[in-house]
Amino acid sequence: MSGQMNILLGIAGGIGAYKTPMLVRELAKAGARIRTVMTRAAHEFVTPLSLQAVSGFEVRSETFDQSAEAAMSHIELARWADLIVIAPATAHLIARLAHGLADDLLTTVVLASTAPVVIAPAMNMHMWSHVATERNCERLTEMGYSIIRPDVGEQACGDEGPGRMVEPHYLAAQVMALLQKSVRIEGSLAGRKVLVTAGPTREAIDPVRYLTNHSSGRQGFAMSRAACEAGAEVTLVSGPVSLETPPGVQRIDVVSAKDMRDAVMARAPQMDMMIAVAAVSDFAPVELAEHKIKRHKAAGNWMLELAANPDVLAEVAALDDAPFTVGFAAETRDVKDNARSKLEAKGIDMIAVNDVSNQMIGFNSSNNAMTLMWREAGGVASERLAFSSKDEIAARIIVRAGTCLSARDG
């Protein structure tokens, strides 16, 4: 992004609001121009005067502010922003945003703006872990918002756990990375057919039990959304997840690894690109019990015999006229070495790998950080995709994959 960046900072009524003058200063040092909107409750924790002093702009709070409305209406304020950052975001504000309410200036501006939104939650640890907050955050993630998860530590109420707003220097670094590393993907896959797999698979043991993994499907759905935005005709084959289908994407739901293989192999020969993000189970039970296995019939240790599932991505890569194949790998150690080995062993064109031992990224997180490796003349090239939202990661992978596909076909 060229020129000075415009950041609208929304501040809700949480104790973390005391950090916002320092956040404004950090963003300003990085070259951003910051305007601030406060909720009424935020005035209890930080003063408009302190924010005005560090930002150089008058602070806004009221939707119907006659003195400010002539100079900049809430619509103009929404249009002004390149990015909206809400820090701290309380449980109450998150709930209002998740349900599309526009009952104060901040929520009205968010709804009226097309700018990306970054949310830094801050609340009591029990409020943060409450199922209602979890669902609201999931809803916001599905809507395209980026959520920077709170820190773990001592809280103002005396509890100790997750819920503290992240420190200003860290939050500012993430915000600037999002602005500076934004990529344009429109048209980079125009006219291409792309197949994406996402989510986990479930391998049945008996009618009530199954083997699975922690994949949420978010990265795969982000990849399908990015491919569609890049102009591709996208088919998404998904394991069991609770995510809405991205607009313009054809979705096929499957359960087991065999189901996924059948759906993929029936379509792969017609595709220009396959992006295999699904966490397909490596093994499945040799036998499926017809009835529920009773505990008393399996006294002591119970042995479950497993057989290897088919390697769907390797099968696609081995096709005579194979599409450009992009694999994903979740590793916990020797991340780059394991990824390179998979690139070679599976015969694929590109692989994206992340370290799922880092709880800030990967499974069940809205954010990610990956290393991308691909084949090119003379060997294997690589690129580090720094910590950012899964949508941003997806956009960067799509751009690189589209470039590589064009070079292969050219």
Side-chain angles (χ1 to χ4, degrees), residues 197-229:
T197 67
T201 61
R202 293 177 179 175
E203 311 304 324
I205 297 172
D206 62 21
V208 299
R209 301 182 180 94
Y210 55 81
L211 301 176
T212 191
N213 55 64
H214 292 292
S215 174
S216 65
R218 289 173 180 165
Q219 187 67 71
F221 275 60
M223 292 301 304
S224 66
R225 183 164 44 247
C228 190
E229 292 173 356

Side-chain angles (χ1 to χ4, degrees), residues 29-220:
K29 283 167 54 179
R33 183 166 43 202
I34 304 97
R35 293 184 185 274
T36 308
V37 173
M38 300 175 66
T39 67
R40 291 184 180 180
H43 289 73
E44 303 295 326
F45 299 94
V46 64
T47 67
L49 183 60
S50 61
L51 291 162
Q52 180 175 328
V54 292
S55 70
F57 292 100
E58 182 180 357
V59 176
R60 296 286 308 279
S61 296
E62 300 296 332
T63 304
F64 302 106
D65 183 346
Q66 296 301 320
S67 63
E69 199 70 15
M72 178 173 287
S73 69
H74 60 279
I75 296 297
E76 291 170 327
L77 191 60
R79 290 173 177 167
W80 174 86
D82 294 318
L83 182 72
I84 297 175
V85 178
I86 303 177
T90 60
H92 181 60
L93 178 58
I94 287 173
R96 288 192 290 141
L97 291 171
H99 290 82
L101 300 184
D103 53 0
D104 65 1
L105 180 60
L106 179 54
T107 53
T108 301
V109 170
V110 171
L111 279 187
S113 178
T114 59
V117 180
V118 177
I119 295 176
M123 64 195 73
N124 169 267
M125 60 180 290
H126 300 297
M127 296 174 72
W128 172 247
S129 61
H130 195 282
V131 64
T133 304
E134 290 180 352
R135 289 176 179 172
N136 287 332
C137 287
E138 289 175 0
R139 188 181 181 114
L140 290 176
T141 301
E142 292 168 11
M143 292 162 59
Y145 292 34
S146 298
I147 299 178
I148 298 179
R149 298 175 67 85
D151 276 344
V152 175
E154 185 177 355
Q155 300 181 322
C157 60
D159 288 338
E160 185 163 349
R164 291 168 55 93
M165 191 178 93
V166 294
E167 294 303 312
H169 68 278
Y170 176 83
L171 179 54
Q174 300 310 311
V175 168
M176 298 311 295
L178 179 61
L179 277 170
Q180 294 169 353
K181 295 181 180 179
S182 294
V183 294
R184 294 188 60 84
I185 62 176
E186 293 88 344
S188 57
L189 287 178
R192 301 288 194 174
K193 292 184 177 180
V194 176
L195 180 65
V196 181
T197 67
T201 61
R202 293 177 179 175
E203 311 304 324
I205 297 172
D206 62 21
V208 299
R209 301 182 180 94
Y210 55 81
L211 301 176
T212 191
N213 55 64
H214 292 292
S215 174
S216 65
R218 289 173 180 165
Q219 187 67 71

